Amino acid sequence: MFNVQVSVESKPPILPPPETLRSLDLHKDIYIRCSRSWNRDARELADILNQPHIKRLLESHDQIADGTQNTKPRPKTEPPKLFPNGMTNDAIRMVGVRKKNGEPLGLTVQINENDNLVIARILEGGMIEKQGLLHIGDVILEVNGNQVRTPEDLQVEVAKSKDSVTLKVGNVQSSETHESIVMNGVNGVTKKLTCYMRTLYEYNPEEDSLLPCKEIGLRFDRGDILQIVDQRDPNWWQAKKVGGDNKTGLIPSLELEERRKAYVAPENDFVHKISICGARISRKKKKINYQSKSNCDFDKAELLLYEEVTRMPPFKRKTLVLIGTQGVGRRTLKNRLINSDPEKFAGVIPFTTRPQRVLEENGQTYWFTDRETMQEEIRNNKFLEYGEYNGHLYGTHLDTIRDVIKQGKMCILDCSPMSLKILHNSSEFLPYVIFIAAPGMEQLKSLYDISKSNSNLRYSSRNLTFDRQSSIRYSSRRARTLESLASLYEEEDLKRTLEDSASMQRTYDKYIDQVITNNDFDMTFRQIIEALEALTTEHQWVPVNWIY
């Protein structure tokens, strides 16, 4: 027998061909899709795929598959660490933000089309804006080590923090700065970097259901001056009060307020009627042509929210306008101002179509003209105001105001408040408007008595005339009845004066520079003089159309 030794040479195992050479790329794509999904199972799969041994297994698969296809192996590389938004480790940074109790961080966030939590707005003047570490478009991944996916998650985690907040932030998605947007414009419209607005209404952010965050809303009152620092958002402007605490907050934009005021709930929509089947049928609108006499009616429909203003050094106004309801003493104050300094103040002489009487001179009490000429000039907008009384036209010609201004005097007007829009929107007349408010009942009665004594007229209320001093039958029953009726009518007139005064102030508040309650003629006169002197020593906020 022969002992035969047979050596068996081992052969490498035969491997099946690889399905793909790019399993890591496939892993990355699946991981991104699962991590952005709101499905719980998909997120669990994303966490599994993000485990180190899974990635090492796939990396080994690619290396072996590459080795079977190519004799030269591919160099070993460390795969980048992946994050929920598909960014690499190089795009991630940690940002520490100091925080004060009760004070917001000064930013707002939103979820973009890729389901990322991105910074939508950074308030100017806040801690984040001062540090300059965060930018609009940055993706917030974690807060103090806890993952956040929604604005509610962010709010909860920030509320837990005391002194500081650590944010894990992704790379900037938009490199546009505020200045580049201002220079290039948004949607083809160039916007100013900073402008100033006078508010014409009151705003309370606590009552605004559209405000994304009540804590960063800016409350203001009617007449406040706001510095608008950012108008990029079409709905919410960033602003701060001039002379306030220098804190920046959000206010509704003009576009947002116009849409809000114009919105009519379907149940309150009376412009359309509902058919039997429930379909809404539009009713044809009536076309109304604008007329100068209907100026007030059109102003009521105008939405007045903000007025752009600018700060100017001290200068003298060209006209002083005294407005107020009938009986508050406007004409008495006007005459007193003119008589106090005729070299400084002057009034205007009205035009009329009334026939000239005996001993009347043209240009003293009235400028007399014919009706055709005056109507033609009215159509050519040469009158500030006009009206008809007893079949005759009366009006204030704009040229008479210009003549006073050319003399270097301040023109004093006690015109109708409906004329304020013409004066206010013109850079020619530069008015300072003082509203003479009605005082209380007792003070108003004394003003009536002073007016009666100055004009030497007997007391008359409506069509009832009664002179208490000269009545022969003062003790008779008829006289006592007339006196009681006169007192009743007088009290009703006084109440109506108070109501009209308050209504006029609310309606024309946009054009009013100062409100003075006429409790006493001497005190009111001094207040007017002090206000005019302050114009020559203090800076003023005036409409921009007066300057540009």
Side-chain angles (χ1 to χ4, degrees), residues 495-538:
K495 290 181 180 179
R496 187 179 298 106
T497 298
L498 292 175
E499 295 173 357
D500 293 344
S501 178
S503 176
M504 183 182 295
Q505 182 178 351
R506 290 192 301 268
T507 304
Y508 299 98
D509 184 68
K510 171 186 177 180
Y511 308 108
I512 298 174
D513 294 296
Q514 185 175 355
V515 178
I516 300 178
T517 302
N518 190 19
N519 293 305
D520 179 76
F521 273 109
D522 294 335
M523 184 181 300
T524 303
F525 176 78
R526 288 194 298 269
Q527 288 179 302
I528 295 176
I529 295 298
E530 291 173 359
L532 296 179
E533 291 177 351
L535 294 175
T536 61
T537 58
E538 299 176 1

Side-chain angles (χ1 to χ4, degrees), residues 9 12 78 87 90 92 96 156 181 187 203 206 244 260 283 322 356 410 412 416 428 437 442 458 461-462 480:
E9 187 173 327
E78 181 70 20
M87 295 180 296
D90 296 336
I92 303 299
V156 171
I181 291 178
N187 296 329
Y203 176 69
E206 297 294 334
R260 179 166 21 204
R283 192 167 52 197
L322 303 177
Q356 189 172 351
M410 173 177 278
I412 302 181
S416 166
E428 183 180 8
E442 296 301 325
R458 300 172 65 194
S461 179
R462 299 183 181 177
R480 290 194 298 271

